[in-house]
Amino acid sequence: MSRTPVSSLFEPLKLGGSLVLPNRIVMVGMTRTRAAADGTPTALMAEYYGQRADAGLIITESTSVSAVGRSFLTGPGMYTTEHALAWKKVVDAVHERGGRIVLQINHVGRVNNLQYLPHPIPPVAPSPIAVPGTSRQIVINIPRVTPYVEPRALETEEVPLIAAEFAHATRLAAFAGFDGVEIHAGYLIHQFLSTNANKRTDRYGGSPENRARMALEVLDAVTAVKGPDYVAIKLTPGWTNNEIEEEQVEDTYGHLLDEIAARGRLMFIHFYFPDLATSGLFRSLRQRVRGPVLVDGSLAPADYAAMVAAGEADLAGFGRAFIANPDLPSRLQGSLPLADVDYGTLYVGGSEGYTTYPRAAA
Ligand SMILES: Cc1cc2nc3c(=O)[nH]c(=O)nc-3n(C[C@H](O)[C@H](O)[C@H](O)COP(=O)(O)O)c2cc1C
């Protein structure tokens, strides 16, 4: 049998108890700001995700577990009945086309951009430290251009309530028919893991164990809903997005991964590394994982395929390629050219540059 450089991406994989993926090509979470202003998903979003149902698995865009955890006015939420009913239409659109979809659940913490609304929603975070660089401007989909403000530090007793919000979103996701949830550990959870956004002196700050405690409380609350098979987590160890700094990265994430492994196998663990191809940290942390690994780091398809073939990864994450190529798996399989993303329409709302990318001509 002839093998192409991407053949390994087309070997089926069983995830969790019963979810069978026909390929390893995962559409990773991408914020596209096409929800209603109250966070309710739209019919346009159902069309967009339905168009991409050939993916082995779709991970939705970041979806907030609470009003205060939102970032953009037209980013989606999953905390009301209306949200869940509207998400069900998205899930149905994907399932009707034979696909699988998990909901990415998130709380943005201090990266909340909604504090200047008529009814302000001030941010919360581990410590009262604004995203550094007070002149940093936010321009996406909010009524005016604003800098980030200083967040309120969560009280010790409030932190478990955030975990309860993640669990509530998971219950709504199950109601909506999602195949699982992915906890995004890139915002509020990342702020707790960090050493520059987290200056706490209670049980959530200081040592690697304390900084990882909030992540584990969220994980425990979420896995209690439908078990670990239903749950994935996205980790971004050492990533400096939104001015996060992490010291003792290997100790902190090593502890987190050991604690996750002690609890059993999750649906998968998703690693984002901007330097995935050369990262020694990825290779060292990867040894501590039990269960499937999704790698995400802007590699070429053949390089992801080589990692899957070598057993370094089970799933390959594609972001921008899925924006412009709704039929990405068949394009990769047929070595067809890939279309480019129009960056001007990423976040503007409407169908242009969202549902208008065609499939390759047959
Ligand atoms: C437009 C856009 C929006 C994104 N939004 C999210 C998001 O909501 N959640 C998330 O975990 N990552 C988000 N990311 C990061 C991607 O999931 C992925 O990790 C990254 O884009 C690398 O993949 P790529 O090079 O294949 O695009 C976003 C990336 C892009 C390009």
Side-chain angles (χ1 to χ4, degrees), residues 28-32 61-62 104 184 234 272 296 298 317-321 323 346-347:
V28 291
M30 280 176 295
T31 293
R32 301 302 310 277
E61 65 212 271
S62 166
Q104 185 180 73
H184 193 355
K234 179 175 183 178
Y272 174 73
D296 176 9
S298 308
F318 291 86
R320 287 162 293 175
I323 292 178
L346 277 182
Y347 302 118

Side-chain angles (χ1 to χ4, degrees), residues 145 230 347:
V145 175
Y230 196 69
Y347 302 118

Side-chain angles (χ1 to χ4, degrees), residues 260-276:
I260 293 173
R263 287 159 166 79
R265 284 164 66 106
L266 298 182
M267 179 186 248
F268 58 87
I269 296 184
H270 176 169
F271 285 103
Y272 174 73
F273 279 91
D275 59 346
L276 178 65

Side-chain angles (χ1 to χ4, degrees), residues 145 216 283 299 330 342 355:
V145 175
L216 289 165
R283 278 156 188 90
L299 298 190
S330 55
D342 170 14
T355 52

